[in-house]
Amino acid sequence: MKPITYKKIPRYVLLSILFLTILLGFRWIWSESFTIPAHPEPTKGVLDLRGWDLANASPISLDGEWEFYPQALISNSDAKIADNLSTRIQVPGDWRNALPQSSSSFGYGTYRLRILLDPSVEEVSLWAQKIQTSSIIEMNGTIVAEFGQPATHAEAYRPERTAFTTSYVLDGSTELNLLVQTANFDDPYSGGITRSLYFGSPEAIGSERGLSIDLQKITFAILILHSLYAFVMFLFIRKERALLTFSMLTLVAALTVASDHDNLLLSWIPLNFTWIVKAKALSYPLFAFFLLQMAKSFSHNLQWRKLFHIYASVLGVYCLFLLVAPVTLIYHVLEIGLSDFLYLFAIGWSVYLFFRMAAEKRSDASFLLFAATSSLSSVLWGIVNSHNEITNVYYPIDVIAAIFGFSAYWFRKYFRNSSEIEKLYEQLKEEDRQKDQFLVNTAHELRTPLHGIINIAEKHCSP
């Protein structure tokens, strides 16, 4: 069997490998920049940070073994009395197995962690990304953050979904008693502290979370601006419906950024818990749909039209369901995986169409290939990071790269069309000049015989 040489590998495959290598390189550099250093971990509800330079270190995760009081909402003064009720629980993770006689994640409880610190530590900060679905955070008996209303029954409980940071001044204390009261009566599959908590100095926490939020805002602004200019261009060129599709694609992509991660949408629009869940559930399948629609418009592919109509119909029914269904029922459907299927099916089909365009050597298809590779990289990274949190800082490169690829394709197409129109205009001018010259020459050649005919006619007609 002969070895495969690079000359036999299609050009579009080599380009895809190159693009993916570059994106993975950026991803690796990014992950290394925010790698959490090796640090002590909570064991039996105690985290010993004595001797740890908290002031000059990066934020550390509080992943480990915490104390947990199931079916009890206790404060600092109640902790010693309720010691016989406590058990151990692994953070982060779903708390279902720690709840007594519970077949779902509905319930309430209190997490507790004792953190031992050096006397030199004056102030500490906590960064929480997801506590499902209401919480009160208490440090040494002081409530430092409150989101929603934890309660012992669903009627008195109020959910609220948000990421937050909070700080606490120790006032000379060398021990921090961290309590997290939380309740969940909305999500039957995930409850409690489901994402990592980060602990460190206010400067370190503020720097990392501030960078993450700034990157989300920048990405959101870039996407919104692209959506606006594409929509304005569509208003001038109504026949170019792909511009409208691109506008909707970038608009929905902006929604995915604002409704996920740090839930920036909540700081701009006063949405309740139900609608922020619906916004996130809607945004990802719609993004995939508009990406597929744009891939079809670029490729002019008429195959599988029936399959596309079936997919669009199912997606339409699903989106209508999300708008009217209660949040608990939405979580049941999300657990089944219908949303993931609608999302990944359209993404895979889109990438296939873009790769096919590159294989057919369409004009400027390399830009679309780059955009498709970036989109695929973003999707794969999202799946990996959702199951195994690699970094807590938002990564914008893939999304921006995909938008750059699509925009570059549009601009290249515009300049190519303008150049072709200019060439056709010059060709038309030349043909018009040749037409005028032909008429002049023809008129000159016909003038002499016509005069002769006129003279002969006059002689015969004269008396």
Side-chain angles (χ1 to χ4, degrees), residues 41 129 136 192 200 253 264 266 287 296 304 314 330 345 359 404 423 435 437 442:
E41 295 183 357
Q129 291 184 304
I136 294 177
L264 295 180
L266 288 174
F287 169 80
K296 284 178 60 64
W304 303 309
V314 172
I330 291 175
F345 176 79
F404 168 79
K423 289 179 181 178
K435 178 205 67 174
Q437 186 64 37
T442 303

Side-chain angles (χ1 to χ4, degrees), residues 62-66 68 89-99 105 111 130-132 182 184 189-197 386-387 389:
L62 299 182
D63 297 357
E65 190 180 44
W66 289 45
F68 182 62
I89 192 170
Q90 195 69 24
V91 173
D94 180 34
W95 65 6
R96 183 183 308 182
N97 294 332
L99 297 176
S105 296
Y111 293 83
K130 188 177 181 182
I131 301 177
Q132 194 82 330
T182 182
N184 167 47
Y189 301 100
S190 179
I193 303 175
T194 56
R195 297 294 296 271
S196 297
L197 300 179
S386 64
H387 291 86
E389 188 174 338

Side-chain angles (χ1 to χ4, degrees), residues 154-192:
E155 290 74 15
Y157 140 93
R158 178 172 56 85
E160 185 174 342
R161 183 172 184 173
T162 186
F164 66 90
T165 57
T166 185
S167 298
Y168 179 74
V169 179
L170 292 167
D171 288 331
S173 176
T174 58
E175 181 176 326
L176 180 67
N177 191 25
L178 173 61
L179 291 174
V180 181
Q181 300 178 21
T182 182
N184 167 47
F185 294 100
D186 280 294
D187 187 349
Y189 301 100
S190 179

